[in-house]
Amino acid sequence: MRDLIIAIDGFSSTGKSTLAKLLAKELGYIHIDSGAMYRAISLYALENGMIDGNQVNEFELLPQLEFMDIHFELNPDTGKNEIFLNGENVEEKIRAMEVSSKVSLIAKIPEVRSFAVNLQRKMGEKKRIVMDGRDIGTTVFPNADLKIFLNASAEERAKRRYEELLKTDTPATFEAVFQNISERDHIDSTREISPLKQAEDAVLVDNGKLTPQETLAEVLAIIKGIS
Ligand code: C5P
């Protein structure tokens, strides 16, 4: 099979990362969770007091971007490519509700987007990558070999994220998770730069009623058809 770039986009908590991780494992590819990069920048801004309510202090944040070391390392125990911010593994910290509630504000800043997109393109230079996010098929890799757009209802997605959070020590109520997902859907799909939308040549997969393994099987069948 030739080397591929696979782009997986969709709304929050559609299971993009789960699918991307399973797919990368199956194909022996690298998985990059692009949302984790926006979350890491948000964590940095929060920890350094650069966010006040809904206001991001861009004046302070933007000059720091070029000094930020954001990279992924494979954790052999979990099989997950985990994110590091300035040398610290922040994989768990970036999933906290506090970060989720600010990340879409950070992700709509043009300079933040171009910083992240440049990094993402570098990571895809050698192909053999599965990247998930919101604009991977439309902006980061418009020539991706395969583009999947995942979708499921907001209730189903909130239920999944809530159950995921229950397994960690990041407390949240179902209502707060549902509200956060709806808010992020809105900000992500209405922002000016790279709004979340299905690329014209993306394949729509609705996984509302599918298990992760069933979703994987559906996508592997699509890959068989193109390679
Ligand atoms: O995928 P996840 O929900 O972790 O992403 C967190 C946030 O990062 C999204 O709500 C969105 O605001 C932003 N994001 C983005 N573009 C991407 C990936 C994520 O704007 N490619």
Side-chain angles (χ1 to χ4, degrees), residues 12 16 33-35 38-39 95 103-104 107 113 133-136 161 184 188 191:
S12 301
K16 298 182 298 292
D33 170 358
S34 67
Y38 293 100
R39 286 175 179 272
R95 311 285 162 197
V103 61
S104 288
R113 294 210 75 77
R134 304 292 187 292
D135 61 340
I136 311 306
R161 178 54 63 109
R184 283 199 286 143
D188 293 346
R191 71 178 170 227

mmCIF file of all heavy atoms in Angstrom, residues 12 16 33-35 38-39 95 103-104 107 113 133-136 161 184 188 191, ligand 1:
data_model
loop_
_atom_site.group_PDB
_atom_site.id
_atom_site.type_symbol
_atom_site.label_atom_id
_atom_site.label_comp_id
_atom_site.label_asym_id
_atom_site.label_seq_id
_atom_site.Cartn_x
_atom_site.Cartn_y
_atom_site.Cartn_z
ATOM 1 N N SER A 12 -16.731 18.305 18.115
ATOM 2 C CA SER A 12 -16.115 17.842 19.367
ATOM 3 C C SER A 12 -16.674 16.492 19.797
ATOM 4 O O SER A 12 -17.879 16.257 19.693
ATOM 5 C CB SER A 12 -16.413 18.833 20.497
ATOM 6 O OG SER A 12 -15.920 20.084 20.167
ATOM 7 N N LYS A 16 -13.044 11.250 17.091
ATOM 8 C CA LYS A 16 -11.998 11.405 16.060
ATOM 9 C C LYS A 16 -10.665 10.824 16.534
ATOM 10 O O LYS A 16 -10.011 10.097 15.809
ATOM 11 C CB LYS A 16 -11.770 12.899 15.734
ATOM 12 C CG LYS A 16 -12.968 13.615 15.175
ATOM 13 C CD LYS A 16 -12.634 15.062 14.844
ATOM 14 C CE LYS A 16 -12.207 15.876 16.045
ATOM 15 N NZ LYS A 16 -13.245 16.127 17.034
ATOM 16 N N ASP A 33 -2.994 14.266 17.289
ATOM 17 C CA ASP A 33 -4.246 14.872 17.732
ATOM 18 C C ASP A 33 -4.037 16.387 17.696
ATOM 19 O O ASP A 33 -3.422 16.956 18.598
ATOM 20 C CB ASP A 33 -4.512 14.359 19.169
ATOM 21 C CG ASP A 33 -5.655 15.084 19.852
ATOM 22 O OD1 ASP A 33 -6.234 16.011 19.265
ATOM 23 O OD2 ASP A 33 -5.958 14.709 21.006
ATOM 24 N N SER A 34 -4.501 17.033 16.635
ATOM 25 C CA SER A 34 -4.197 18.466 16.482
ATOM 26 C C SER A 34 -4.894 19.299 17.549
ATOM 27 O O SER A 34 -4.408 20.353 17.946
ATOM 28 C CB SER A 34 -4.572 18.960 15.084
ATOM 29 O OG SER A 34 -5.967 18.927 14.917
ATOM 30 N N GLY A 35 -6.053 18.816 18.042
ATOM 31 C CA GLY A 35 -6.755 19.545 19.107
ATOM 32 C C GLY A 35 -5.898 19.668 20.359
ATOM 33 O O GLY A 35 -5.947 20.664 21.081
ATOM 34 N N TYR A 38 -3.846 22.833 20.319
ATOM 35 C CA TYR A 38 -4.586 24.050 20.728
ATOM 36 C C TYR A 38 -4.849 24.021 22.238
ATOM 37 O O TYR A 38 -4.841 25.051 22.907
ATOM 38 C CB TYR A 38 -5.895 24.173 19.941
ATOM 39 C CG TYR A 38 -5.647 24.428 18.470
ATOM 40 C CD1 TYR A 38 -5.732 23.395 17.538
ATOM 41 C CD2 TYR A 38 -5.271 25.684 18.017
ATOM 42 C CE1 TYR A 38 -5.461 23.611 16.190
ATOM 43 C CE2 TYR A 38 -5.003 25.915 16.679
ATOM 44 C CZ TYR A 38 -5.100 24.875 15.766
ATOM 45 O OH TYR A 38 -4.824 25.100 14.441
ATOM 46 N N ARG A 39 -5.090 22.821 22.753
ATOM 47 C CA ARG A 39 -5.308 22.696 24.207
ATOM 48 C C ARG A 39 -4.020 23.039 24.972
ATOM 49 O O ARG A 39 -4.070 23.670 26.020
ATOM 50 C CB ARG A 39 -5.759 21.267 24.549
ATOM 51 C CG ARG A 39 -7.190 20.974 24.161
ATOM 52 C CD ARG A 39 -7.547 19.513 24.401
ATOM 53 N NE ARG A 39 -8.930 19.258 24.056
ATOM 54 C CZ ARG A 39 -9.957 19.398 24.888
ATOM 55 N NH1 ARG A 39 -9.757 19.762 26.138
ATOM 56 N NH2 ARG A 39 -11.187 19.157 24.495
ATOM 57 N N ARG A 95 -6.994 18.031 29.240
ATOM 58 C CA ARG A 95 -8.388 17.557 29.092
ATOM 59 C C ARG A 95 -9.300 18.170 30.153
ATOM 60 O O ARG A 95 -10.500 17.904 30.156
ATOM 61 C CB ARG A 95 -8.478 16.029 29.215
ATOM 62 C CG ARG A 95 -7.473 15.264 28.372
ATOM 63 C CD ARG A 95 -7.817 15.255 26.914
ATOM 64 N NE ARG A 95 -6.647 14.901 26.110
ATOM 65 C CZ ARG A 95 -6.544 15.111 24.817
ATOM 66 N NH1 ARG A 95 -7.525 15.651 24.153
ATOM 67 N NH2 ARG A 95 -5.456 14.790 24.160
ATOM 68 N N VAL A 103 -10.464 26.742 25.113
ATOM 69 C CA VAL A 103 -9.657 26.384 23.938
ATOM 70 C C VAL A 103 -10.183 26.971 22.620
ATOM 71 O O VAL A 103 -9.398 27.391 21.764
ATOM 72 C CB VAL A 103 -9.440 24.848 23.847
ATOM 73 C CG1 VAL A 103 -10.726 24.083 23.711
ATOM 74 C CG2 VAL A 103 -8.499 24.479 22.723
ATOM 75 N N SER A 104 -11.494 27.068 22.474
ATOM 76 C CA SER A 104 -12.000 27.591 21.199
ATOM 77 C C SER A 104 -11.690 29.080 21.044
ATOM 78 O O SER A 104 -11.589 29.580 19.915
ATOM 79 C CB SER A 104 -13.503 27.339 21.071
ATOM 80 O OG SER A 104 -13.721 25.959 20.855
ATOM 81 N N ALA A 107 -8.137 28.971 19.844
ATOM 82 C CA ALA A 107 -8.013 28.386 18.500
ATOM 83 C C ALA A 107 -8.535 29.303 17.403
ATOM 84 O O ALA A 107 -8.305 29.034 16.227
ATOM 85 C CB ALA A 107 -8.742 27.045 18.449
ATOM 86 N N ARG A 113 -3.383 29.881 14.968
ATOM 87 C CA ARG A 113 -3.700 28.882 13.933
ATOM 88 C C ARG A 113 -2.510 28.691 12.989
ATOM 89 O O ARG A 113 -2.146 27.580 12.657
ATOM 90 C CB ARG A 113 -4.948 29.279 13.121
ATOM 91 C CG ARG A 113 -6.220 29.287 13.924
ATOM 92 C CD ARG A 113 -7.432 28.963 13.069
ATOM 93 N NE ARG A 113 -7.496 27.556 12.743
ATOM 94 C CZ ARG A 113 -7.889 26.597 13.578
ATOM 95 N NH1 ARG A 113 -8.286 26.876 14.786
ATOM 96 N NH2 ARG A 113 -7.904 25.337 13.191
ATOM 97 N N GLY A 133 -8.772 16.528 13.698
ATOM 98 C CA GLY A 133 -8.995 17.912 14.126
ATOM 99 C C GLY A 133 -10.260 18.494 13.532
ATOM 100 O O GLY A 133 -11.299 17.818 13.448
ATOM 101 N N ARG A 134 -10.168 19.779 13.155
ATOM 102 C CA ARG A 134 -11.335 20.476 12.617
ATOM 103 C C ARG A 134 -11.116 20.949 11.181
ATOM 104 O O ARG A 134 -12.054 21.115 10.421
ATOM 105 C CB ARG A 134 -11.659 21.727 13.464
ATOM 106 C CG ARG A 134 -11.892 21.493 14.930
ATOM 107 C CD ARG A 134 -13.173 20.729 15.137
ATOM 108 N NE ARG A 134 -13.532 20.618 16.553
ATOM 109 C CZ ARG A 134 -12.870 19.913 17.461
ATOM 110 N NH1 ARG A 134 -11.811 19.233 17.108
ATOM 111 N NH2 ARG A 134 -13.308 19.847 18.708
ATOM 112 N N ASP A 135 -9.831 21.188 10.857
ATOM 113 C CA ASP A 135 -9.511 21.801 9.556
ATOM 114 C C ASP A 135 -8.425 21.018 8.836
ATOM 115 O O ASP A 135 -7.692 21.573 8.024
ATOM 116 C CB ASP A 135 -9.023 23.243 9.784
ATOM 117 C CG ASP A 135 -7.752 23.287 10.639
ATOM 118 O OD1 ASP A 135 -7.488 22.291 11.351
ATOM 119 O OD2 ASP A 135 -7.028 24.288 10.578
ATOM 120 N N ILE A 136 -8.279 19.751 9.167
ATOM 121 C CA ILE A 136 -7.160 18.990 8.601
ATOM 122 C C ILE A 136 -7.391 18.761 7.095
ATOM 123 O O ILE A 136 -6.497 18.984 6.283
ATOM 124 C CB ILE A 136 -6.933 17.641 9.346
ATOM 125 C CG1 ILE A 136 -6.884 17.879 10.863
ATOM 126 C CG2 ILE A 136 -5.669 16.949 8.845
ATOM 127 C CD1 ILE A 136 -5.880 18.910 11.332
ATOM 128 N N ARG A 161 -18.062 12.044 26.112
ATOM 129 C CA ARG A 161 -17.030 12.850 26.770
ATOM 130 C C ARG A 161 -17.187 12.787 28.290
ATOM 131 O O ARG A 161 -16.224 12.681 29.028
ATOM 132 C CB ARG A 161 -17.109 14.300 26.242
ATOM 133 C CG ARG A 161 -16.129 15.295 26.854
ATOM 134 C CD ARG A 161 -14.658 14.893 26.787
ATOM 135 N NE ARG A 161 -14.108 14.753 25.457
ATOM 136 C CZ ARG A 161 -13.242 15.579 24.891
ATOM 137 N NH1 ARG A 161 -12.838 16.629 25.548
ATOM 138 N NH2 ARG A 161 -12.759 15.354 23.698
ATOM 139 N N ARG A 184 -18.589 24.969 21.895
ATOM 140 C CA ARG A 184 -17.424 24.792 21.013
ATOM 141 C C ARG A 184 -17.857 24.536 19.570
ATOM 142 O O ARG A 184 -17.259 25.050 18.638
ATOM 143 C CB ARG A 184 -16.529 23.664 21.535
ATOM 144 C CG ARG A 184 -15.713 24.128 22.719
ATOM 145 C CD ARG A 184 -14.531 23.234 22.964
ATOM 146 N NE ARG A 184 -14.894 21.960 23.558
ATOM 147 C CZ ARG A 184 -14.310 20.817 23.259
ATOM 148 N NH1 ARG A 184 -13.363 20.756 22.354
ATOM 149 N NH2 ARG A 184 -14.678 19.707 23.864
ATOM 150 N N ASP A 188 -16.429 26.934 16.822
ATOM 151 C CA ASP A 188 -15.573 26.282 15.815
ATOM 152 C C ASP A 188 -16.156 26.394 14.399
ATOM 153 O O ASP A 188 -15.416 26.509 13.425
ATOM 154 C CB ASP A 188 -15.372 24.794 16.152
ATOM 155 C CG ASP A 188 -14.559 24.589 17.430
ATOM 156 O OD1 ASP A 188 -13.933 25.554 17.908
ATOM 157 O OD2 ASP A 188 -14.558 23.459 17.954
ATOM 158 N N ARG A 191 -16.208 30.525 13.251
ATOM 159 C CA ARG A 191 -15.050 31.434 13.277
ATOM 160 C C ARG A 191 -14.642 31.798 11.846
ATOM 161 O O ARG A 191 -14.950 31.069 10.892
ATOM 162 C CB ARG A 191 -13.886 30.805 14.053
ATOM 163 C CG ARG A 191 -13.243 29.673 13.332
ATOM 164 C CD ARG A 191 -12.063 29.098 14.077
ATOM 165 N NE ARG A 191 -11.656 27.881 13.444
ATOM 166 C CZ ARG A 191 -11.393 26.730 14.062
ATOM 167 N NH1 ARG A 191 -11.499 26.649 15.359
ATOM 168 N NH2 ARG A 191 -11.035 25.672 13.380
HETATM 169 O O1 C5P B 1 -10.350 17.877 19.330
HETATM 170 P P1 C5P B 1 -10.539 18.654 20.610
HETATM 171 O O2 C5P B 1 -11.962 18.733 21.050
HETATM 172 O O3 C5P B 1 -9.614 18.249 21.692
HETATM 173 O O4 C5P B 1 -10.108 20.149 20.205
HETATM 174 C C1 C5P B 1 -10.165 21.192 21.115
HETATM 175 C C2 C5P B 1 -10.458 22.503 20.395
HETATM 176 O O5 C5P B 1 -9.345 22.870 19.572
HETATM 177 C C3 C5P B 1 -11.647 22.502 19.467
HETATM 178 O O6 C5P B 1 -12.865 22.781 20.115
HETATM 179 C C4 C5P B 1 -11.293 23.618 18.493
HETATM 180 O O7 C5P B 1 -11.631 24.884 19.046
HETATM 181 C C5 C5P B 1 -9.791 23.556 18.419
HETATM 182 N N1 C5P B 1 -9.295 22.861 17.233
HETATM 183 C C6 C5P B 1 -9.192 23.568 16.066
HETATM 184 N N2 C5P B 1 -8.637 22.997 14.971
HETATM 185 C C7 C5P B 1 -8.194 21.745 14.998
HETATM 186 C C8 C5P B 1 -8.318 20.975 16.174
HETATM 187 C C9 C5P B 1 -8.898 21.558 17.285
HETATM 188 O O8 C5P B 1 -9.596 24.717 16.009
HETATM 189 N N3 C5P B 1 -7.621 21.222 13.912
#
